[in-house]
Each structure stands twice: as C-alpha cells, then as structure tokens.
Amino acid sequence: MKIDGLDLLIKPTLECNARCIYCHSMKPAKKMTLDVLDTLFKKAADYGKRKGLSTISVNWHGGEPMLMGAGFYRDALEIQDKYFTRDQVLHGMQSNACLYKGEVREALKELMNEKTMGASFDPFHPTRGLIKGGDSFPDALEGSLAMMQDGFSVDMIYVIHKKSLDVVREVYHFFKNMRVQGVLFHPLEEYPGKEYRLEPDDLAVFLRRLWEVWEEDDYELDISPLSEWRAFLKDREPIDSCDFGLPSGSSLHVTVSPEGNLYPCPRFQDRDQCCIGNIRDMTFDEIEAHPYASLVVNKKTNLNPECRACKFVHLCRSGCIATHDETGKTRWCQGLKDFFTFLVAKENIRDADLQYSRESAECVSGKGCDCESGQCG
C-alpha cells in the first residue's frame, strides 16, 4: 500500500507533574536529548521527501510534555527549521494543561501551528492529584482556558470510572459549557481498587446515560466514540480509529520514546512491548517494513471468528488491541454489546443495516497478522 502520511507521537519525557490514581505509564524520569530529536526530524524529512509527503504530523505526548520546558521546544523548532519549512510539520500536544503558563505558554504558541491541544481532567472527583499535593483540577482548568484564550481548539479526555456513573449529566454539560472542541470518553483500565474500578456492565450504563443526555441536547457536543457510532448508524460512515474502527493503513504511525525507541502505538510504549527498534539505528523505510509497524491494522483485520460473526462488528471491531484478552476480544466486550443492543433498539436499526458498510470485505476477513512472536496478542 502506498504511504501517504507520517504521524509521529513523540514522548520527550515519561515524567509527570501529576499522580493520577489510574496511571499505568509512569516510568523512571528520562528526557529526550536534542541529538535524538535531530536524528528523528532528519530521517523523517528524508522519508517524507522521497514519499512525496507535503506534511507530517507531530503529537507531543508523555508523561507530561510541558515538563520539558520552553527551551526544549524553542530548540525543537530550530532543529525542525534545518529540515522542514514551518508549514510542513503540523504540531499538536496532549497535556494535563497545568503548566501552560509563562515561558512555556509563549514557546508553545509559536510551535503549535495547528492550534489544537488535548487536555484532560476530572471536574468532580479527586482522581488526578499533583505531586506537590492537592488536586490538579484548578491548574488544569486554568491552563485549558488559557489555551482557548490563545486561540487553540481544545479536545478533552475524560476517564470513565465507577463514580462517573452518578455524574454523567454534570460531566457532559461541564465540558459543553467550557466550549471544548470535543471530548473523548475513555474507560478506566487495570485499576485494582473497588472505589473507582470500572466493570464492563458499568461501561454500558455510563454510555447509555451519556447517549440519553447527548440526545436531549440534540447531539450538540462532539463526543467520541458516540459521534463515530452515530455517524455509522445514520450515514454508514466507516469508523476510522484504532479503538472501534479500522485505522488507515496508508499512514505510518510511530510512537517515539525519550530514548528514541519506536513502537506501533503509545499503549505498547507504556508497556514496553512490540518495540520496532531505535531511530538512531533505523531508517523510516526499515520502520515501515517492520511487522510491528502494521500491527494495529493487521490485528484489526484478523479478528477471531466470534468477533467476525458478531452483528456489532462494524461498531466495535474487537476494540483497542491493547485491551484484548487471550481470546482476542476486548475486556469491554459484554459491556459494549449491552450498549449496542440498547442503541439499535432505541434507534430502530435493522440487523441488515448494521452489516452494511463502505469498507471493503477485507476489513474483517481474517487475512492474518504478520507478527508471529505471540507477545503482542
């Protein structure tokens, strides 16, 4: 397949100023050197030129990327200018927004040419504390509003936990009244404590209540994954995401760790699984040819028989592969089925309509994953 895009998710540090109760990505504090970043940009520019790419996308992630400080991002822009024009690299960032102030704010206003930022907080429960003590919500809210004041479109991530079930309406209207660009609702995973632990049936209840609040509001706010599911049911739009759809195989997606290690997605970097190699030792042509580079797409087209036979396959496609159990199904399977059952009954959707898609028949044909190591299943 012809590659027509390069998307880099760069984690310049895994350190964080927050201590969210459910975080699974905290690692020893390491920071990306400018030499690693220079090598990354140089090789990306060479690859993009040979592939005829007009732009590449960079999403700064972490840890907390703003901990790198203003100097790092000013240096990053200087390094970028060695290999690209300013309009060839489209920058975004996912942050807790607490540090968006002072010199960091000024440096990011210059770097973030796409004018999009991602933030995340919990407005009703103390799930996201700060290392210095206290809850991160006041600082995160202040930072998010400052981003919007500076002309950024802010997309929010809200982590669904057990106590979220009691504040669905409040959460929805809080973010709507903030005038965020959209909200991604992501279920809490791998949390041992009963107080916040989310079970599949809890997820079904939350999604059902959220849909009803959203419907009352005439679907005003862009919320994922509900917006994608509604677009499929209403207009048969295929879901283009790595969670509940089939991500485009025509773009090369690479996650880069502080040391320059390469992964097919940030979830595998969090767990240090399925490492492709290191940017200092590989070209992007070698990265593209590596089996792990197409791992997500391959897994999404190699569904197990039960998933392929499920009438909701085009709404779920086995979920995020990082949540798969030993059978190849997402741990949220039953909760999603319960919600989809509610949804199709409410919207009077026929089973035949669920099977119709603009995607090719290959999307669930089970063509087979190139990875035979077994460690990524």
Side-chain angles (χ1 to χ4, degrees):
M1 178 178 292
K2 183 180 183 297
I3 295 294
D4 60 12
L6 175 60
D7 300 323
L8 300 177
L9 189 146
I10 304 176
K11 295 191 171 194
T13 180
L14 302 181
E15 187 179 2
C16 192
N17 58 321
R19 283 295 180 268
C20 302
I21 63 170
Y22 43 74
C23 184
H24 54 76
S25 64
M26 289 303 300
K27 302 292 189 302
K30 297 178 181 178
K31 293 187 176 181
M32 180 173 285
T33 66
L34 296 179
D35 286 342
V36 169
L37 186 62
D38 190 292
T39 300
L40 177 64
F41 277 2
K42 181 179 180 180
K43 292 185 176 182
D46 177 67
Y47 178 80
K49 183 177 181 179
R50 287 184 293 99
K51 291 289 186 177
L53 306 182
S54 58
T55 61
I56 71 166
S57 296
V58 170
N59 187 22
W60 300 94
H61 208 279
E64 173 46 57
M66 292 190 194
L67 280 174
M68 296 299 291
F72 175 83
Y73 291 108
R74 292 194 179 106
D75 290 339
L77 197 53
E78 290 185 7
I79 293 172
Q80 173 187 307
D81 288 344
K82 292 166 56 178
Y83 307 112
F84 300 94
T85 61
R86 286 286 176 99
D87 59 352
Q88 283 183 303
V89 183
L90 309 178
H91 291 273
M93 179 176 284
Q94 179 63 44
S95 166
N96 60 38
C98 294
L99 300 176
Y100 188 74
K101 59 187 73 174
E103 289 297 308
V104 169
R105 179 177 181 176
E106 294 306 312
L108 294 180
K109 283 164 61 176
E110 182 178 8
L111 179 68
M112 298 291 140
N113 54 354
E114 276 287 87
K115 288 296 181 181
T116 59
M117 297 281 267
S120 56
F121 52 74
D122 186 335
F124 298 107
H125 298 97
T127 61
R128 305 173 68 91
L130 290 170
I131 292 177
K132 65 182 182 181
D135 191 69
S136 66
F137 173 64
D139 290 345
L141 178 60
E142 179 182 354
S144 298
L145 294 176
M147 291 174 185
M148 297 169 74
Q149 181 182 352
D150 290 340
F152 286 96
S153 297
V154 176
D155 289 293
M156 196 63 62
I157 294 178
Y158 177 81
V159 176
I160 309 165
H161 50 77
K162 182 75 171 182
K163 293 189 176 184
S164 302
L165 275 64
D166 298 326
V167 291
V168 177
R169 182 177 299 275
E170 290 85 348
V171 168
Y172 175 88
H173 285 288
F174 180 91
F175 288 124
K176 182 189 175 185
N177 291 336
M178 264 193 74
R179 299 184 182 277
V180 298
Q181 182 76 10
V183 184
L184 167 63
F185 287 91
H186 185 81
L188 171 62
E189 299 168 8
E190 302 172 358
Y191 184 71
K194 292 183 179 180
E195 185 178 13
Y196 289 101
R197 185 171 64 213
L198 193 74
E199 301 294 347
D201 58 332
D202 297 324
L203 179 61
V205 171
F206 181 90
L207 292 174
R208 184 168 67 246
R209 291 175 182 174
L210 181 62
W211 185 280
E212 290 170 341
V213 173
W214 189 44
E215 184 181 46
E216 290 173 10
D217 196 39
D218 198 25
Y219 313 105
E220 184 74 18
L221 184 61
D222 183 16
I223 50 179
S224 182
L226 268 59
S227 293
E228 290 90 338
W229 289 332
R230 182 169 183 261
F232 175 82
L233 295 175
K234 183 174 180 289
D235 300 316
R236 301 300 177 264
E237 289 290 341
I239 299 171
D240 180 13
S241 81
C242 58
D243 280 337
F244 299 110
L246 183 68
S248 172
S250 61
S251 287
L252 179 61
H253 303 272
V254 182
T255 294
V256 188
S257 78
E259 307 95 323
N261 293 330
L262 310 165
Y263 301 84
C265 84
R267 298 293 297 279
F268 287 115
Q269 189 282 322
D270 290 342
R271 302 171 181 184
D272 195 22
Q273 293 177 326
C274 304
C275 182
I276 296 169
N278 191 284
I279 190 60
R280 290 169 293 192
D281 307 319
M282 301 183 74
T283 66
F284 272 94
D285 291 289
E286 292 171 328
I287 296 168
E288 178 189 337
H290 196 284
Y292 289 165
S294 54
L295 174 66
V296 176
V297 172
N298 285 336
K299 288 286 187 179
K300 288 287 194 171
T301 58
N302 187 30
L303 305 183
N304 67 29
E306 184 178 349
C307 288
R308 291 202 302 272
C310 178
K311 68 179 181 179
F312 301 126
V313 63
H314 289 295
L315 290 169
C316 169
R317 198 173 296 279
S318 81
C320 169
I321 67 172
T323 68
H324 283 188
D325 60 21
E326 64 278 1
T327 70
K329 297 191 300 182
T330 175
R331 69 179 300 268
W332 304 112
C333 177
Q334 190 56 54
L336 290 171
K337 283 183 176 180
D338 291 346
F339 171 69
F340 294 147
T341 298
F342 152 82
L343 189 57
V344 298
K346 183 176 181 56
E347 301 296 317
N348 294 316
I349 303 296
R350 300 176 304 164
D351 285 356
D353 291 332
L354 287 172
Q355 299 306 314
Y356 174 76
S357 171
R358 295 177 188 169
E359 300 160 342
S360 70
E362 293 181 354
C363 289
V364 292
S365 64
K367 276 202 157 187
C369 176
D370 292 332
C371 168
E372 297 178 355
S373 70
Q375 65 175 308
C376 299

